[in-house]
Amino acid sequence: MKSAAVNDNLFAVLERRFPRQLESCCLETPEGLHYSWRDLLHASARLANLMKALGLRPGARVAVQVEKSPEALMLYLASLRAGMIFLPLNTAYQAGEIDYFIGNAKPDLVVCSAERLAWVEPIARHHGVRHVHTLGANRDGTLLAAAAAHADEFRTVRRSPADLAAILYTSGTTGRSKGAMLSHGNLASNARTLHRYWGWRGGDVLLHALPIFHVHGLFVATHGALYNGSKMIWLARFDPAEVVRQLPRATVFMGVPTMYVRLLDQAGFDRNACAGMRLFISGSAPLRTETFEDFERRVGMRILERYGMSETIMLTSNPCDGERIAGTVGKPLPGVQLRIVDDADKPCGPGETGGIQVRGPNVFRGYWRMPAKTRSEFTADGYFRTGDVGQFDANGYVRIVGRNKDLIITGGYNVYPKEIETVIDELPGVLESAVIGLPDRDFGEAVAAVVVARPGTTLEAQDLIATLRARIAGYKVPRRIFIVPELPRNAMGKVQKNILRDSYRQ
Ligand code: MCA
Ligand code: AMP
């Protein structure tokens, strides 16, 4: 058979792996909803037909800011099927953030919850978006009402591996978010690799408790289950007590370190509850050795830690069969070329620390409408500079020891200090600010700000926090703000954040 006959659309790749028994359960919720594989095919077909009827052409962007629900997943799958480019947006984003994403991505369709319509629609119209629909968490909203009139069969649009499937916005060191363009081929290659590497098998059931607007929940978790033809238990949000209740019915769980910290705070989280589980996976932020060890003592299993980025999906992983080593993110995944280099781009030896660079079929196609930025992030021989700093140990496992990007990771969400400093500096009475990450038992790192008032002005930390809440996503708002007379600077005039971190650590 000629390879031209194969459709490389990611949906087609996943669909070829669906179980034969289309009546079997694909997704269920604790509220008692059951969706079969056939339901998934029909619902995604209706939505794909609706997109086509709205006049959207393959390559159009579909921006989505909705609560997690089975229908939100169907909308993602429909976008793939129709050849659109999916743009998932964190539900915590406020008007200023949404304005930037919509203005930058220029979607043809925006889907939001009914509660957000009053402020999302004017932003969308301002940027010339043709269609705005709502989707609620309980199968409500205008989108599903409109889709109901459409046929439940749809021929998945033919895509090549290089065609774009999604744009994931990641904040930047300059304070401006960049849209990482991921292709059908990027996502399919990672899904295939992880399927083998994590030993997905018949009978696996994924307990899905992550949000679906980032790589971890939308791609790594969902594609894993769909590619294996596995059922998902679909939790609308992470609730540790609910996770403990559902664990006996699952075999695989994926979470960020904060989720493991919170699970370990649950009395019922023990060997009994986890007896049927085969794999717990952690990523998006460093897993503390203490959490890894507490988990092993309590459950008798080792968490498998892996490492990735929005731009690259997954890069390294501890093994499924083999030793999982605390404080490491494992070896480069098959097909991923990962090197650690010094400042002159010369390879580092084992135990030597340097910048992590990667190349492979999983690496993104560049930043949306930012060709110069894209070029500067790649080396002449095609490696992407991750901005993470690490070293290989003697066994070839990667240890991430820091970042050469000014980034805070709080509960698995990335916060770029520059973005928050820009917003704080615009507030009345503020002369300047420095945003830092401080150690936090629950979130790993917590956002804090050190602020200098303009001469003759008095600032109250609580007032600043209240103002910021309305402007930026809740997880970006500093938990603590310290008002100081001046910021420490070095001879070059650069703010010494290490001094601030040391001073406010306690
Ligand atoms: C919520 N809040 C947070 C965070 N999450 N504050 C700091 N950091 C956070 N991560 C704040 C809210 O603004 C709110 O503040 C209060 O906490 C309660 O909000 P709620 O929504 O109830 O929070 P939660 O349910 O307790 O959420 C904690 C969480 C969540 C479940 C850990 O943050 C989460 O789902 N994190 C996962 C993120 C993720 O999927 N990352 C993957 C990125 P207030 O009360 O003051 O209003 S993909 C990635 O990084 C790469 C590719 C990778 O390797 O995976
Ligand atoms: P994002 O681009 O938002 O998906 O975040 C990617 C960043 O998260 C990476 O560049 C790393 O800094 C960090 N990251 C992801 N997984 C891990 C991990 N297991 N350990 C340490 N850092 C991680």
Side-chain angles (χ1 to χ4, degrees), residues 55-270:
L56 271 65
R57 314 274 309 157
R61 273 78 62 207
V62 174
V64 176
Q65 190 193 31
V66 299
E67 304 307 323
K68 182 177 174 187
S69 69
E71 286 68 28
L73 174 65
M74 308 302 172
L75 177 57
Y76 163 58
L77 297 175
S79 169
L80 291 176
R81 291 189 82 170
M84 307 302 161
I85 303 174
F86 194 70
L87 202 103
L89 296 167
N90 195 319
T91 47
Y93 291 149
Q94 302 293 315
E97 294 157 313
I98 293 296
D99 182 66
Y100 174 78
F101 298 129
I102 293 184
N104 190 255
K106 296 267 184 291
D108 279 348
L109 169 64
V110 168
V111 183
C112 66
S113 60
E115 299 74 41
R116 291 187 183 88
L117 187 66
W119 58 267
V120 171
E121 185 160 24
I123 294 174
R125 300 292 179 205
H126 171 76
H127 290 293
V129 174
R130 287 189 295 146
H131 305 286
V132 180
H133 271 288
T134 60
L135 176 62
N138 299 307
R139 286 161 288 148
D140 47 346
T142 61
L143 185 81
L144 296 180
H150 289 276
D152 60 10
E153 299 281 328
F154 183 86
R155 185 193 286 264
T156 296
V157 169
R158 185 164 282 279
R159 295 279 86 184
S160 80
D163 285 326
L164 296 189
I167 298 179
L168 275 275
Y169 274 89
T170 77
S171 304
T173 36
T174 56
R176 260 187 87 199
S177 282
K178 303 161 291 180
M181 301 187 288
L182 292 166
S183 68
H184 287 263
N186 291 148
L187 297 168
S189 81
N190 216 240
R192 288 191 186 101
T193 301
L194 294 178
H195 180 258
R196 278 193 298 273
Y197 208 73
W198 290 345
W200 280 91
R201 56 180 79 148
D204 267 339
V205 174
L206 174 73
L207 180 49
H208 194 304
L210 283 155
I212 55 164
F213 37 66
H214 288 304
V215 163
H216 199 162
L218 185 62
F219 300 150
V220 184
T222 304
H223 295 170
L226 294 176
Y227 191 81
N228 197 49
S230 275
K231 178 169 92 176
M232 289 186 261
I233 302 174
W234 194 253
L235 306 192
R237 55 183 297 275
F238 173 75
D239 168 1
E242 187 61 43
V243 168
V244 172
R245 267 194 294 281
Q246 297 292 339
L247 278 172
R249 309 176 53 245
T251 64
V252 180
F253 178 84
M254 300 185 194
V256 298
T258 300
M259 294 179 177
Y260 289 104
V261 171
R262 293 186 184 180
L263 280 172
L264 286 164
D265 284 342
Q266 291 287 307
F269 185 65
D270 54 21

Side-chain angles (χ1 to χ4, degrees), residues 170 215 282-287 305-311 329 386 388 400 403 405 407 409 414:
T170 77
V215 163
S282 176
S284 309
L287 181 72
E305 184 172 7
R306 58 45 168 197
Y307 153 64
M309 289 183 79
S310 298
E311 288 91 335
V329 292
T386 63
D388 291 309
I400 298 182
R403 303 171 200 131
K405 46 192 175 189
L407 165 68
I409 305 185
N414 289 8

